């Protein structure tokens, strides 16, 4: 009976149902925040402070996004330049053309030169490629051809950088999730105490303890 008063007092203070978390941070929440925006999971673990890893991850993510925007802009501008050049100087539209056509356009002065080269090498199955009028071209000068080739290769370079930046964004999130999970676990377990008044036909309140890791 000597423990009854403290239990009843605790029941009174808690009301019909209450819960309090004592120490620790939710690893799941930390991981979810890190996946959404790297750095925010660490900020959550560190009580809202931008310190250490939190600042590093968010700055890295911001720099990757800014770089990706710049790369996308340059890639679009370069692609537009070589497409315009092909239309004005080779007399062919690149709309709905595959990558093989884009490459061949930069390798041969004209579609007739392409045909002759493939006949000479007995690549008859590829000759039909330039039989359709929309796939025929002729560069007005060698300089135009070289300019197109340079622009197309530059566009490929921007595309490779784009892939690298997207990979960096994904890697940054994976690392942020893993390290925020570890940081949350180092905070210790979550202890949840819930107390409810005595149910009908009994004198003792119900006390629940839940420990989450």
């Amino acid at each position: 009976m000597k423990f009854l008063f403290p239990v009843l007092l605790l029941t009174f203070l808690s009301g019909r149902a209450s819960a309090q978390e004592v120490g620790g941070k939710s690893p799941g929440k930390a991981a979810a925040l890190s996946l959404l925006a790297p750095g925010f999971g660490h900020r959550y673990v560190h009580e809202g402070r931008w310190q250490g890893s939190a600042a590093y991850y968010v700055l890295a993510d911001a720099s990757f996004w800014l770089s990706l925007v710049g790369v996308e802009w340059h890639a679009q501008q370069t692609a537009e330049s070589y497409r315009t050049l092909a239309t004005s100087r080779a007399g062919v539209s690149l709309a709905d053309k595959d990558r093989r056509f884009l490459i061949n356009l930069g390798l041969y002065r004209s579609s007739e030169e392409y045909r002759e080269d493939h006949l000479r090498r007995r690549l008859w199955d590829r000759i039909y490629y330039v039989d359709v009028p929309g796939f025929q071209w002729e560069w007005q000068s060698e300089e135009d051809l070289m300019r197109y080739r340079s622009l197309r290769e530059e566009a490929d370079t921007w595309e490779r950088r784009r892939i690298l930046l997207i990979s960096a964004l994904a890697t940054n999130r994976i690392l942020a999730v893993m390290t925020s999970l570890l940081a949350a676990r180092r905070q210790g377990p979550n202890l949840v105490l819930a107390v409810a008044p005595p149910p009908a036909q009994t004198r003792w309140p119900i006390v629940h303890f839940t420990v989450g890791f």
Side-chain angles (χ1 to χ4, degrees), residues 17-38:
S18 64
Q20 182 180 6
E21 292 190 5
V22 183
K25 292 292 183 178
S26 168
K29 184 175 181 179
L33 288 171
S34 295
L35 186 62
L36 180 64

Side-chain angles (χ1 to χ4, degrees), residues 2-13:
K2 63 181 179 179
F3 299 107
L4 181 59
F5 178 76
V7 172
L8 292 176
L9 178 62
L10 185 58
T11 303
F12 173 77
L13 294 175

Side-chain angles (χ1 to χ4, degrees), residues 3-198:
F3 299 107
L4 181 59
F5 178 76
V7 172
L8 292 176
L9 178 62
L10 185 58
T11 303
F12 173 77
L13 294 175
S14 61
R16 290 188 59 83
S18 64
Q20 182 180 6
E21 292 190 5
V22 183
K25 292 292 183 178
S26 168
K29 184 175 181 179
L33 288 171
S34 295
L35 186 62
L36 180 64
F40 281 79
H42 294 81
R43 180 176 181 270
Y44 159 71
V45 172
H46 297 306
E47 304 293 345
R49 296 189 299 273
W50 292 105
Q51 64 179 32
S53 299
Y56 297 148
Y57 280 113
V58 75
L59 288 175
D61 200 60
S63 66
F64 291 146
W65 277 113
L66 289 174
S67 298
L68 183 60
V69 170
V71 165
E72 288 284 358
W73 184 85
H74 282 290
Q76 291 180 9
Q77 293 297 312
T78 305
E80 183 63 26
S81 295
Y82 75 67
R83 289 177 182 275
T84 301
L85 183 65
T87 301
S88 61
R89 305 296 292 178
V92 62
S93 172
L94 299 188
D96 302 323
K97 299 299 192 300
D98 59 15
R99 179 174 173 79
R100 184 177 66 170
F101 182 84
L102 300 182
I103 294 175
N104 288 332
L105 187 61
L107 294 177
Y108 298 92
R109 179 76 179 267
S110 66
S111 53
E112 187 61 31
E113 182 180 297
Y114 169 90
R115 180 193 296 275
E116 293 175 358
D117 178 67
H118 283 63
L119 282 173
R120 187 166 52 252
R121 293 192 291 161
R122 299 182 179 182
L123 299 175
W124 295 296
D125 58 325
R126 300 182 185 179
I127 296 176
Y128 75 92
Y129 195 62
V130 293
D131 287 340
V132 181
F135 286 77
Q136 297 173 357
W137 74 92
E138 183 174 2
W139 289 103
Q140 295 185 18
S141 67
E142 187 71 21
E143 289 76 13
D144 294 332
L145 170 62
M146 298 304 295
R147 175 61 177 163
Y148 167 84
R149 183 185 303 175
S150 176
L151 286 171
R152 196 196 61 77
E153 290 175 352
E154 182 181 345
D156 285 347
T157 299
W158 287 118
E159 179 63 22
R160 287 191 293 270
R161 292 179 182 177
R162 175 179 175 272
I163 294 173
L164 287 175
L165 285 169
I166 292 175
S167 300
L169 284 166
T171 302
N172 194 43
R173 276 161 172 74
I174 293 172
L175 291 175
V177 167
M178 294 175 61
T179 54
S180 64
L181 275 172
L182 294 174
R185 290 182 183 277
R186 284 196 295 267
Q187 293 284 344
N190 292 326
L191 174 63
V192 180
L193 170 65
V195 183

